[in-house]
Amino acid sequence: VSDEIDAILSKLEGDNVRSVLLQFSDLEGKPKNVAIPTKQMKKALTDGISFDGSSIQGFARLEESDMLLRPDPSTYQIIPWSDDQFRSARFICDVYTTHGEPFPGDPRRILRTQIEKAAKLGYTFNVGPEMEFFLFRMVDGHASVNLQDHNGYFDQTPANPAEDVRRDLVISLSEMGFNIEASHHEVAPSQHEIDFTYGDALGMADKVVTFKFVAKTLALKRNLHATFMPKPIYGINGSGMHVNCSLMKDGENAFFDPNGDHQLSDTARHFIAGLLKHIDGITRVANPTINSYKRLIPGYEAPVYVGWSAMNRSTLIRVPSSRGRSTRAELRSPDPTCNPYLTFAVMLAAGMDGVINKIEPPESIDKNIFRMTAAERSEAGIRCLPWNLQVANNALMEDKLLCDVLGEHVVAQINRLGELEWGEFSRAITDWEIKRYLANY
Ligand code: ADP
Ligand code: MG
Ligand code: MG
Ligand code: MG
Ligand code: MG
């Protein structure tokens, strides 16, 4: 162990790192960090660095608020925009109690547990998230919803500072170990997407958190605000975080079967069935804000109805046409306000429930659900996703499997935060109400 520590310390010295950010995520997936001078790293690696857990959203526990951060050596990255003469680096940390036990409310721990369970059955869970976001103008030093551009899908735009931000992002993310597949303008004005190559769920969850932090930082450097709010503007597409996923076994894609229906294996079918079975509870985790549900409405490419298809793009779960190594299911409901650790954990557990219990999915929906009449949908047994945070919260509380996955502590916190948020929203007097009622009554 001390050899490993020595190796890390000499790497830091060789890279001229003077300051180290120890990062972790709160329950809501918001990045937290504490900066320590490099000479404290020996202590961090041997004893951990303590912090007050009761001040972190979702961590609060009355009995013991002191907690420890233990850096995960495999997450070492230099912060690309830090000064050459005074390098900063970061490690993502696991959270421990002061008794040296893993903290059960640590989102990273919760995902790890599910990954280890799947590994016992020989499976690796691979995910590829598609990150959508808006770049808005700053006004007097504050974020606004003022559009930066009026372009659309794949548009190429001369001299648009947003294009510069995207390029800066691709460069910095590549330096931080991302394998960028594509970056493009999205459908809505000022909306962008960056895709990176899929990988194991834990590494990808780390990357999602890193991505948001890097995007916000680099946008600000060009006086723009990057937001992952799902539906910042009424009437145009919102931002999602589609999660492409597959299982790998013995180095092969376990979703692919050249002789299966749609060339999908039984494993793929069962996994999809598990996702569909638990989707209501998953929604609470994958769509955790009031605003998330303003995106999940008809007319804007976001899913609304529960179903899957290998044919069309309008379904909740789409099986894109690529096969072989790229055989995958794309869950299209999550949005980028989700905590990626918890989202991938509940997705994996739900899918594995399907695989272990050989659950059969409903028939695939091969026509555009949005063009079906309500009667046709109900005849086909197609129901809606939870339509607000309260409905989703109740659904999660009733999903025993997902509650077990998240653990007592996290479920209680999610429930508390959900009820709080819903209560405040219900009491708020919105612009919509003023416009609707003030003059009329
Ligand atoms: P879309 O057609 O939905 O816009 P994209 O091309 O933007 O899809 O993104 C596809 C994502 O799927 C990428 O992140 C890619 O790495 C990922 N992907 C490809 N193959 C797999 C796989 N076998 N398992 C999980 N994700 C995969
Ligand atoms: Mg895409
Ligand atoms: Mg997209
Ligand atoms: Mg793409
Ligand atoms: Mg997609």
Side-chain angles (χ1 to χ4, degrees), residues 130 132 193 242 244 313 318 330 332:
E130 302 170 46
E132 292 181 339
E193 174 173 317
H242 297 171
N244 295 267
R313 274 188 173 262
R318 172 172 80 106
E330 178 193 36
R332 300 171 64 258

Side-chain angles (χ1 to χ4, degrees), residues 325-342:
R325 290 196 71 79
S326 302
T327 314
R328 62 189 188 267
E330 178 193 36
L331 183 66
R332 300 171 64 258
S333 56
D335 70 59
T337 54
C338 74
N339 180 319
Y341 301 99
L342 299 182

Side-chain angles (χ1 to χ4, degrees), residues 204-223:
M204 293 313 274
D206 286 342
K207 283 194 163 72
V208 167
V209 175
T210 302
F211 180 91
K212 291 196 269 189
F213 160 67
V214 174
K216 283 182 178 294
T217 307
L218 297 184
L220 262 183
K221 284 186 190 289
R222 293 191 183 268
N223 208 27

Side-chain angles (χ1 to χ4, degrees), residues 265-275 350-351 354-355 358-361:
S265 66
D266 290 345
T267 306
R269 274 202 347 274
H270 297 321
F271 194 92
I272 289 170
L275 282 176
V355 171
K358 300 200 181 340
I359 305 177
E360 279 302 323

Side-chain angles (χ1 to χ4, degrees), residues 194-207:
I194 295 187
D195 308 316
F196 30 96
T197 303
Y198 70 94
D200 75 282
L202 186 66
M204 293 313 274
D206 286 342
K207 283 194 163 72

